[in-house]
Amino acid sequence: MLNMISGYVALHRSLGRKFSAQDRLLRLYADFATGFGDRYTNVQRIYDWCHTSSSQNVARHRFDTVRNFSLFAQAEDAGYEVPPAGVFGRGKRPRPTPTIIEPDQVRAIMTAALDVPPQDMISPHTYHYLFGLLAATGLRISEALALQCTDLVEDGLIVRNGKFSKQRLIALQPSTRQALEAYLAMRKKLGATGSDLFVSIRGRAPTKTRAHVVFVRLARHLGYRGPTGKSGMRLHDLRHTFAVRSLEACPPDREAIAHHMAGLSVYLGHASVANTYWYLEATPVLLRDIAAASEQLYRGEAA
């Protein structure tokens, strides 16, 4: 187990994280479990160890740390057991597990958006291009809806309404710029007015709630999401997908990965690079693939 912990910690440190607290807790758990002869994580042993904590918050922190490690370790060796989430409560409302949206699903949703009523008006085109921009750039929906026509500049898009009032400039692929210019031409053709970049028939940007409702209805209609009351694909998953695809494209080099994470954090407008690491932890397959690439690199260096 200690070798697996060392690999897990080394992976996170290769990505630029200190990971000291997690390293200490995992080794404390390993000492506890080894005393019972365990070679792998064991659900009941995790519970027993967490129950020795001095408070509920400490127990929850211990549990989450070992559970995240167990998810990673089980991808390498099925002998590691993973306990269910939330056994010791949740300090904050948990982030939903992201749905990675496939390119053909994005295209299908964008196409279906063109059938949103009222036809022969600007709204169907607004949702078509809005969803396309979110998929192509990873913008938050609030950032996209706050864009003004004047924010499309020669160097890209000026995002003025970022989280924590942060402003940034994001570069655009030529195809994305052409799509936005096509949308502006459609606005002019249909006589849509207003300073907001994306507008409804009232000349103002749709609300976040309305954009979410339209997206979910389209996803449900296309069979990408279950019936009302069931969780599934969400509008925010376009942002998740952008981040994960970006990380998947990262070259298997420790320094390159660290630089990529830092750059992606700025691009996405995260307050801290720690928020960007969540995309790794929330996507075990991606974490496993990067771990495999890092191990291969390590073996090459050792040779």
Side-chain angles (χ1 to χ4, degrees):
M1 190 186 307
L2 285 176
N3 287 338
M4 186 67 78
I5 290 173
S6 296
Y8 178 68
V9 171
L11 169 64
H12 282 276
R13 286 179 175 168
S14 74
L15 297 173
R17 303 181 74 178
K18 292 183 178 179
F19 224 61
S20 299
Q22 293 90 334
D23 184 21
R24 180 181 63 83
L25 285 178
L26 290 173
R27 293 186 184 280
L28 286 174
Y29 169 75
D31 288 344
F32 179 83
T34 301
F36 294 90
D38 295 348
R39 296 176 54 200
Y40 308 100
T41 52
N42 173 278
V43 170
Q44 187 58 53
R45 202 77 66 215
I46 293 172
Y47 293 161
D48 292 342
W49 181 62
C50 292
H51 279 304
T52 66
S53 303
S54 57
S55 70
Q56 178 73 9
N57 285 336
V58 173
R60 180 172 58 244
H61 184 52
R62 284 186 174 190
F63 179 81
D64 291 344
T65 300
V66 178
R67 185 175 185 276
N68 286 338
F69 164 71
S70 300
L71 284 167
F72 166 85
Q74 191 182 67
E76 300 292 325
D77 190 327
Y80 287 86
E81 296 181 4
V82 179
V87 172
F88 286 85
R90 303 182 186 276
K92 297 180 179 178
R93 183 174 64 86
R95 280 177 151 179
T97 301
T99 298
I100 306 305
I101 306 176
E102 298 299 329
D104 61 325
Q105 293 177 320
V106 174
R107 287 191 291 269
I109 289 171
M110 291 177 63
T111 299
L114 293 174
D115 293 327
V116 170
Q119 291 293 293
D120 302 321
M121 302 290 279
I122 191 58
S123 291
H125 303 282
T126 292
Y127 292 114
H128 172 83
Y129 288 101
L130 172 62
F131 297 155
L133 180 67
L134 295 178
T137 63
L139 284 177
R140 300 178 179 93
I141 181 60
S142 58
E143 295 172 337
L145 293 177
L147 289 170
Q148 303 293 293
C149 292
T150 53
D151 290 334
L152 179 60
V153 297
E154 183 177 352
D155 295 328
L157 265 179
I158 301 174
V159 180
R160 305 180 190 275
N161 195 42
K163 204 168 184 179
F164 308 111
S165 301
K166 295 175 68 174
Q167 179 176 308
R168 67 189 190 280
L169 173 70
I170 64 168
L172 295 176
Q173 292 290 335
S175 59
T176 304
R177 174 177 290 277
Q178 291 169 9
L180 289 176
E181 290 173 348
Y183 171 67
L184 290 174
M186 182 63 66
R187 275 187 47 158
K188 184 176 181 180
K189 178 181 177 181
L190 295 175
T193 59
S195 59
D196 293 332
L197 177 57
F198 294 105
V199 294
S200 65
I201 58 176
R202 295 180 176 83
R204 298 189 301 272
T207 64
K208 285 172 54 177
T209 299
R210 180 60 184 164
H212 281 288
V213 167
V214 170
F215 183 86
V216 168
R217 285 179 178 172
L218 293 175
R220 187 169 288 136
H221 173 72
L222 292 167
Y224 300 151
R225 184 182 171 114
T228 303
K230 299 291 184 180
S231 60
M233 186 185 291
R234 306 169 304 133
L235 181 58
H236 199 63
D237 286 326
L238 291 172
R239 179 172 166 86
H240 290 314
T241 300
F242 175 88
V244 169
R245 296 301 186 210
S246 176
L247 290 170
E248 286 179 338
C250 187
D253 175 271
R254 290 191 183 95
E255 185 174 351
I257 290 172
H259 289 172
H260 190 87
M261 292 293 290
L264 181 61
S265 180
V266 173
Y267 184 90
L268 291 174
H270 285 160
S272 167
V273 71
N275 296 326
T276 315
Y277 282 111
W278 178 80
Y279 291 106
L280 289 179
E281 296 173 357
T283 314
V285 172
L286 178 58
L287 188 59
R288 183 196 63 198
D289 290 345
I290 292 179
S294 296
E295 181 180 0
Q296 183 178 9
L297 177 67
Y298 172 77
R299 288 176 177 175
E301 289 177 347

